[in-house]
Amino acid sequence: MEQSLKLKLFRKLLSKQGEEGFSLIELVVVVSVLAVLSAIAIPTFSCFQRKAQATAALAAIKQIHTECEINKSDTGNVGTFTPSNLNSYQIQSDGSNSCGGASGTGLISAIPTDTNILPTFILATNSSELTYSFKGQTGTNLTDCLGFICQTRQGNELQARIESEEFVVEGSYLERGCSAYAVVEGPTWEESESNAQKLNGHLVTLNDLEESEWIVQNIKWVHPENNTAGATAYWVGLTDADNEGDLKWADGSEVNIPVQSSDNNGSEDYFSLVDSGGLNDLTQNPGDWSMGHWQMQYGIAEISICN
């Protein structure tokens, strides 16, 4: 479509030659349209280029793993792999291409020249596990990792807007991958979820145990007054209030992490994340022992920051 528009514009320009010439308005319109088309095309091309570079690096490190496994099976020795000539990436290992990985860690890494725009891929030779590190996030879902490459983050104005809300706990804003997190007020699950929605998000969805552990280690924990437990818990998006036993996240996502429920009477419908890392299911009745024990006052909101 873009190419077709450009051709039409140039044909119009050519057809004008030999006639009365161009008006200033016509020239301005043509230049403006071409500028808009270029503004769309250049970032798109750059995105595809980066994604192709990362895909090639991922394919290379997978090939290294296969080659090393074959060599070890055939010879019984660690051996070496065939070096790869990659664009914007360098393969790092002991002696440059040892199948045993870097000395002391046993890792073979595909490291980009710019880690801000391209992911790092890491092969653990002892476990054969392949992981990525990108935009402050690590994991094994390589498809998601490649998807992050073409996503653009919202600017610092988002953090300023979130922190300006009175119901957001000061200094609680965090970013990880394509998510922003903030602690919001809410003595009940519904109040916390409502405040999260005011930030254009929901109470946090814990996609995996890595995310859960990261939040526990990095979120700002506020210990309420009269906290008899010496611990703190925040509401998260997990609930089965709509249908007993049918757990779901507030944003509609499926539950992919192991969850143990202590709900024996069907009234403990909302989950909280404890600063020790566990998940507890609670009621919202202030007279309930769990409410009095944890003194629930806050929830963790999650907002998407990638487009």
Side-chain angles (χ1 to χ4, degrees), residues 110-131:
I111 302 175
T113 53
D114 189 344
T115 56
N116 292 316
I117 62 174
L118 289 169
T120 299
F121 299 109
I122 306 158
L123 174 65
T125 58
N126 59 343
S127 63
S128 297
E129 183 179 47
L130 181 56
T131 59

Side-chain angles (χ1 to χ4, degrees), residues 64 68 71 78-83 91-103 106-109 123 125:
I64 288 171
C68 288
N71 288 343
V78 173
T80 59
F81 57 84
T82 304
I91 302 296
Q92 187 177 87
S93 181
D94 195 28
S96 76
N97 62 335
S98 169
C99 285
S103 177
L107 301 178
I108 300 175
S109 305
L123 174 65
T125 58

Side-chain angles (χ1 to χ4, degrees), residues 204-272:
V204 63
T205 296
L206 304 176
N207 296 292
D208 49 51
L209 296 179
E210 289 177 344
E211 181 181 16
S212 177
E213 292 170 358
W214 183 88
I215 290 175
V216 168
Q217 293 172 6
N218 292 278
I219 202 74
K220 181 176 181 178
W221 292 99
V222 181
H223 296 273
E225 296 180 4
N226 302 320
N227 187 341
T228 59
T232 302
Y234 291 155
W235 296 118
V236 296
L238 190 61
T239 177
D240 65 350
D242 291 341
N243 185 18
E244 179 62 29
D246 182 17
L247 294 173
K248 66 177 183 180
W249 295 104
D251 66 357
S253 301
E254 294 182 2
V255 179
N256 295 320
I257 63 171
V259 178
Q260 291 184 346
S261 173
S262 61
D263 189 359
N264 296 319
N265 56 19
S267 64
E268 296 178 350
D269 297 328
Y270 305 94
F271 280 75
S272 65

